[in-house]
Amino acid sequence: LDDNGMEDDVNASATKANFQYAITKWAADADNVILYLTGHGGYKSFRMGATEVISATELNTWLDQLQNAIPGKVIFILDTCDSGSFIPPLAPPADKERIIITSTSQGQAAVFISQGAISFSNYFWPYVFNGYSLSDAVTMSKNALSLTTPQQVPILEANGNGVGNEDDDFTRIQNMALGGGIRLAGSVPTIGSVSPDRTISGTNTASFSAE
């Protein structure tokens, strides 16, 4: 996965037991933890391997155990169908910060088109790697999906009240970035104007422009 020529990228098989151990034991000496899952999901469930399914309730129990052991926050990012259904069950313990980002609202399908080129993850992670704040990365990914797959609406829940995409959710993480990032030289490009709509007749070609 990291192109170093060695098969050292996978630490353990994808089982519920190994996943629980990674969250509750292996990560228990960290300051902050980022957890990213993508794959097959359903209503308050995530498929782990061919036969096992993790419920949102189970995951919440493991995350609570982790957050009672670490001093910092947990950032949970989930890109599956119906990932928005995880938001209410994953409320953090009292006085703990848990940021939840889901690629869909409850009941929606997660789209992976053109080998994943059109997907929440493929929009979101490049913004993160390029140094944008977590708030901006979610907002711009949400805007990109509104143009390509408007039936899919990502959710950000950052204030612990179980209701996503509130102004307060985005404000709380406006200055939060993941990793070192890359210093930006300017703002992301925007489209200022496009050719007007028109109807063509008697031909199958036309010119158009965007600035």
Side-chain angles (χ1 to χ4, degrees):
L1 295 176
D2 58 11
D3 294 325
N4 69 350
M6 300 176 64
E7 296 178 356
D8 59 355
D9 306 280
V10 177
N11 188 63
S13 300
T15 67
K16 287 180 66 172
N18 286 339
F19 187 52
Q20 180 182 6
Y21 174 84
I23 294 174
T24 60
K25 303 296 185 181
W26 177 78
D29 62 348
D31 291 329
N32 303 287
V33 174
I34 301 170
L35 178 63
Y36 168 63
L37 296 178
T38 185
H40 290 293
Y43 180 70
K44 298 182 181 180
S45 65
F46 177 81
R47 180 165 295 281
M48 178 65 70
T51 60
E52 296 182 309
V53 174
I54 297 171
S55 71
T57 301
E58 288 176 307
L59 180 59
N60 184 62
T61 299
W62 302 340
L63 292 179
D64 285 353
Q65 183 177 339
L66 171 65
Q67 289 202 262
N68 286 325
I70 66 174
K73 66 178 70 66
V74 164
I75 300 173
F76 176 55
I77 302 159
L78 180 64
D79 190 357
T80 68
C81 293
D82 209 358
S83 53
S85 64
F86 274 71
I87 289 178
L90 293 187
D95 302 321
K96 293 292 184 177
E97 184 178 6
R98 184 178 299 172
I99 298 165
I100 305 169
I101 299 169
T102 65
S103 64
T104 76
S105 299
Q106 184 169 314
Q108 295 178 344
V111 175
F112 292 85
I113 300 174
S114 298
Q115 297 181 324
I118 298 176
S119 66
F120 173 80
S121 290
N122 199 54
Y123 292 139
F124 175 77
W125 287 113
Y127 289 129
V128 170
F129 295 148
N130 283 313
Y132 286 94
S133 73
L134 198 55
S135 177
D136 287 344
V138 173
T139 297
M140 290 187 289
S141 301
K142 184 171 175 285
N143 292 341
L145 281 171
S146 71
L147 299 174
T148 57
T149 52
Q151 70 275 19
Q152 180 178 341
V153 180
I155 300 294
L156 167 66
E157 158 59 354
N159 60 14
N161 68 355
V163 180
N165 287 357
E166 297 177 312
D167 290 342
D168 183 51
D169 293 316
F170 290 91
T171 301
R172 281 173 178 262
I173 62 170
Q174 180 58 54
N175 298 317
M176 184 186 300
L178 303 184
I182 300 172
R183 186 176 298 277
L184 300 177
S187 301
V188 65
T190 59
I191 297 175
S193 63
V194 297
S195 307
D197 294 342
R198 65 191 188 281
T199 301
I200 61 174
S201 178
T203 179
N204 59 2
T205 64
S207 298
F208 63 92
S209 64
E211 298 180 354

